[in-house]
Amino acid sequence: MMSKEVFLGVDVGSVSINVVLIDADNEVVYSSYTRTEGQPLLSLKEALALMMKSAGDFRICGVGTTGSGRQLAGLLLGADIVKNEITAHATATVTYHPDVRTIFEIGGQDSKIIIIRNQMVVDFAMNTICAAGTGSFLDHQAERLKIPISEFGDLALRATKSVRIAGRCTVFAESDMIAKQQYGFSKPEIIRGLCEALVRNYINNLGRGRDLEPPYVFQGGVAANKGIVAAFEQEMGHPIIIPKYYNVMGAIGAAILAREHIAATGRSTAYRGAAALKVEFVPTSFICNGCANMCEVVKVMMDSETIAIWGDKCGKWSSSVIVA
């Protein structure tokens, strides 16, 4: 009996690593979510080891990586295609929800909005500077309020009224929450107010000047928060679609792109397989003084050989390395 052909997608973010396997019909046959705990490469190897142990009898025919750590993950795995988060998220969403016109995505430490027309990305915006409204901020507030993050959204829905919280900045939001607690507002009311504030901040920052049309799809880890979902529906005045695999859509998109790439090129995958677990990298960085950009250039060594360089805007350094 032949092993089932599947395609591997990996999304390496600042907080988590998402791994999925899809079949030729884009059906997810395996998925996992692993916290990086500040060690993305080690966590990626652990996630791969878990996949190899528990995924079943599959043959990986293509690999795609995305996320902030996509370049290094691509080298580790022997990826066939490396794509940015916007392309990966949009690809997955359009595949499962072809009528989508606006994608809301909130992850662990960043957020993005993607405008889709005729199944094509026509505009997008990302917020990677401020953590207000991201998963890590909500985790912190849940911990401070001594509420399990899994119960955060349900508590927000229990509030019969909300209280206005300043959501433009994490510092102001936290200070305002503390003040509202001192005024005697209940935890559900404060949490509901926080959810509404964070959604207002998200729309004002990323959606300003953009034509946000339904159908709306909300994905990323924060989509599990019912309070945030309710706040989005209230703000937009329209139902919000939550995909079945809302927390691994980037990885799914990378896998779909890998499948399409293999089909278009007719090449065999470069996937390293179990050998990826033994690969050791040594990354270093330096500032290029070649022009006013002063780019921080990252150089990756393996077995005393430079295998990759990136970070330069002009390509002076990255184009000097040819990876086999």
Side-chain angles (χ1 to χ4, degrees):
M1 184 176 177
M2 293 183 62
S3 301
K4 185 174 183 177
E5 294 186 353
V6 296
F7 299 85
L8 171 63
V10 177
D11 183 355
V12 181
S14 54
V15 173
S16 68
I17 291 173
N18 304 322
V19 175
V20 302
L21 294 174
I22 63 168
D23 62 17
D25 298 318
N26 297 325
E27 291 295 324
V28 175
V29 296
Y30 173 84
S31 68
S32 72
Y33 171 96
T34 305
R35 290 268 184 168
T36 60
E37 305 294 351
Q39 296 182 299
L41 279 182
L42 178 60
S43 297
L44 175 56
K45 289 181 180 181
E46 290 174 352
L48 287 174
L50 178 63
M51 179 198 74
M52 293 172 187
K53 180 181 178 181
S54 57
D57 187 19
F58 297 117
R59 182 165 65 89
I60 294 175
C61 299
V63 180
T65 62
T66 189
S68 56
R70 61 186 178 273
Q71 301 284 4
L72 207 51
L75 290 172
L76 178 76
L77 294 167
D80 303 295
I81 195 164
V82 177
K83 286 291 184 179
N84 63 68
E85 302 100 303
I86 299 296
T87 302
H89 275 278
T91 297
T93 310
V94 166
T95 298
Y96 296 137
H97 301 280
D99 295 332
V100 63
R101 293 177 73 80
T102 306
I103 300 171
F104 304 134
E105 197 276 337
I106 304 180
Q109 296 219 339
D110 64 7
S111 54
K112 57 188 73 75
I113 196 166
I114 308 172
I115 309 300
I116 306 288
R117 298 293 183 266
N118 299 317
Q119 302 185 2
M120 298 288 290
V121 176
V122 297
D123 193 12
F124 70 91
M126 292 184 67
N127 177 17
T128 58
I129 298 172
C130 178
T134 61
S136 58
F137 175 67
L138 291 173
D139 282 346
H140 174 67
Q141 296 310 317
E143 183 180 345
R144 193 182 64 79
L145 293 169
K146 294 182 170 52
I147 298 169
I149 189 63
S150 58
E151 299 175 13
F152 210 73
D154 289 321
L155 267 178
L157 297 183
R158 279 170 43 188
T160 56
K161 63 180 184 296
S162 65
V163 56
R164 191 171 183 88
I165 302 291
R168 292 184 63 83
C169 169
T170 56
V171 177
F172 293 156
E174 186 164 329
S175 298
D176 209 13
M177 288 173 66
I178 293 171
K180 293 304 191 294
Q181 281 182 285
Q182 292 170 341
Y183 293 153
F185 289 97
S186 69
K187 284 184 180 180
E189 290 166 348
I190 291 171
I191 292 170
R192 177 178 167 179
L194 177 64
C195 291
E196 292 172 354
L198 298 185
V199 168
R200 279 198 310 273
N201 182 47
Y202 174 92
I203 296 298
N204 288 336
N205 283 348
L206 298 183
R208 182 180 299 168
R210 294 181 167 84
D211 193 9
L212 309 182
E213 298 181 3
Y216 303 111
V217 174
F218 180 25
Q219 55 206 45
V222 177
N225 189 310
K226 297 176 184 177
I228 296 288
V229 175
F232 263 117
E233 291 185 333
Q234 177 179 307
E235 184 73 18
M236 305 309 298
H238 200 278
I240 303 293
I241 299 167
I242 309 297
K244 180 179 180 181
Y245 298 102
Y246 62 86
N247 59 335
V248 292
M249 292 293 275
I252 291 172
I256 292 172
L257 290 165
R259 180 184 60 74
E260 293 174 347
H261 175 76
I262 293 295
T265 61
R267 296 175 182 170
S268 298
T269 182
Y271 176 51
R272 296 179 188 270
L277 301 178
K278 301 176 183 178
V279 172
E280 296 293 339
F281 292 139
V282 179
T284 59
S285 67
F286 62 92
I287 302 298
C288 175
N289 296 310
C291 71
N293 283 327
M294 301 287 284
C295 297
E296 181 181 14
V297 182
V298 177
K299 180 169 69 171
V300 181
M301 308 282 292
M302 184 173 73
D303 297 330
S304 301
E305 179 183 353
T306 300
I307 60 170
I309 297 178
W310 61 76
D312 51 338
K313 291 182 173 67
C314 68
K316 172 183 176 180
W317 298 98
S318 53
S319 61
S320 66
V321 177
I322 299 176
V323 181

